[in-house]
Amino acid sequence: MNDVQPRRSPITPTVDFSAKGIQHGFLRLPHSRDDSAWGSVMIPITVIKNGEGPTALLTGGNHGDEYEGPIALFDLARTVRTADVSGRIIIVPAMNYPAFLAGTRTSPIDKGNLNRSFPGRADGTVTQKIADYFQRELLPLADIALDFHSGGKTLDFLPFCAAHVLSDKAQEARSFDLVEAFSAPYSMKMLEIDSIGMYDTAAEEMGKVFITTELGGGGTATAKSTGIAKRGTRNVLVKAGILNGVADVAQTQWLDMPDGDCFCFAEEAGLIEPLFDLGDVVKRGQAVARIHPVGRAGQAPAEISARMNGVLCARHFPGLVKAGDCVAVFAVTV
Ligand code: ZN
């Protein structure tokens, strides 16, 4: 029989999204495997609902080795007071929970990169099923969505909150307003290398006000970067009128990634020697890193040159690079 209706998600929430008060529960995703025949992936979720107001969907751990989001969101879930909320906050601190538990960007179950898996599939892999649940169940509940990222094990970023340039200028303006409210040290008009399959794109195509971050990297978090994440989360909720309180606003420097020239990719493998650090200003044509061949001594390094004038806002983190690695990203100050 041909099933023309979309199959129902196999994920069962243990929380009631329409109930008043605070609930800590799970998105339970059946996952039959060697060590648990009728087992499940249990993705933690918190829902806080009180009075009238918009819904914010807050997510971290879309990539499993990025930590500012999970830290800020587990903290918010534990400390938020229902009486301070007008509307609803849905918190999923670690979206790709199997990847988060493994400390890896992608899922150890199916190698799925959640942020390249949208819109997902209800009858797909574990990662595709998570994407499908956000696409069809959680995003439709939201007015605004904040999805935390950092560089993970292989990139490091200047700390910024970001939104994308959109064809709907009203939606774009509302998104940039929330970026400004987040109050990270930097605010980015962000360009993606390839936006297909991203959660960002799914939310934006649904007309949601969507903001994201890159708050550091290297597969860890710092006191400074977690402070930015916690403060930014509360600032966004206050700005949206969902959380009582006064925003803790700080100065932010706006940056723009105007076109593909902002990305520099390695064309050979080797040992990378940075010639500039994050936040440094470079000129077009200037060498920003050297890649030393490691097969034998006495070989000249290849040079990576900036393709635009700008601020170094991201860099490859590990000391060894492979051909095709993104080694540097530049942006211009606005
Ligand atoms: Zn990420």
Side-chain angles (χ1 to χ4, degrees), residues 256-257 262-264 282 288 306 308 310-313 328-332:
D256 186 12
M257 296 163 70
C262 59
F263 302 106
C264 292
V282 303
V288 296
M308 58 181 272
V311 177
L312 183 64
C313 62
V329 183
F330 295 93
V332 292

Side-chain angles (χ1 to χ4, degrees), residues 61-66 105 113 115-116 147-152 157 212-214:
N62 185 332
H63 293 128
D65 60 350
E66 304 173 5
R105 180 173 180 82
N113 180 342
N115 216 29
R116 302 292 183 274
D147 186 38
F148 278 99
H149 289 261
S150 304
F157 282 89
T212 184
T213 70
E214 298 288 359

Side-chain angles (χ1 to χ4, degrees), residues 2 16 44 50 69 97 108 138 151 174 184 235 244-245 265 276 287 300 303 319 324:
N2 261 342
D16 175 354
N50 189 46
Y97 196 60
L138 293 185
R174 288 199 300 275
N235 282 348
N244 246 335
F265 297 94
F276 290 93
E303 283 192 342

Side-chain angles (χ1 to χ4, degrees), residues 268-322:
E268 46 274 297
L271 171 66
I272 189 161
E273 175 191 353
L275 302 177
F276 290 93
D277 290 321
L278 292 179
D280 287 347
V281 175
V282 303
K283 292 232 176 314
R284 184 166 184 266
Q286 213 168 2
V288 296
R290 295 189 184 113
I291 301 178
H292 297 271
V294 294
R296 60 187 300 155
Q299 305 270 298
E303 283 192 342
I304 303 268
S305 299
R307 298 157 67 201
M308 58 181 272
N309 297 328
V311 177
L312 183 64
C313 62
R315 50 158 286 199
H316 185 77
F317 192 75
L320 296 178
V321 294
K322 296 176 296 302

Side-chain angles (χ1 to χ4, degrees), residues 156-281:
D156 195 15
F157 282 89
L158 279 185
F160 63 77
C161 183
H164 299 105
V165 172
L166 301 173
S167 55
D168 181 336
K169 292 301 165 190
Q171 183 189 6
E172 177 190 287
R174 288 199 300 275
S175 303
F176 284 137
D177 273 355
L178 271 197
V179 171
E180 179 94 26
F182 188 102
S183 260
Y186 296 89
S187 296
M188 183 71 84
K189 292 185 172 183
M190 195 167 185
L191 179 71
E192 301 293 344
I193 293 174
D194 178 10
S195 65
I196 292 171
M198 292 180 70
Y199 178 53
D200 314 46
T201 310
E204 288 160 356
E205 285 179 351
M206 242 180 258
K208 306 301 179 183
V209 176
F210 180 88
I211 64 171
T212 184
T213 70
E214 298 288 359
L215 292 179
T220 188
T222 65
K224 191 173 168 216
S225 64
T226 52
I228 294 166
K230 287 184 187 184
R231 191 167 50 83
T233 306
R234 288 188 175 270
N235 282 348
V236 164
L237 292 171
V238 169
K239 171 77 177 178
I242 298 172
L243 193 65
N244 246 335
V246 180
D248 179 6
V249 178
Q251 192 71 24
T252 188
Q253 170 67 56
W254 276 90
L255 298 171
D256 186 12
M257 296 163 70
D259 56 47
D261 280 349
C262 59
F263 302 106
C264 292
F265 297 94
E267 295 186 353
E268 46 274 297
L271 171 66
I272 189 161
E273 175 191 353
L275 302 177
F276 290 93
D277 290 321
L278 292 179
D280 287 347
V281 175

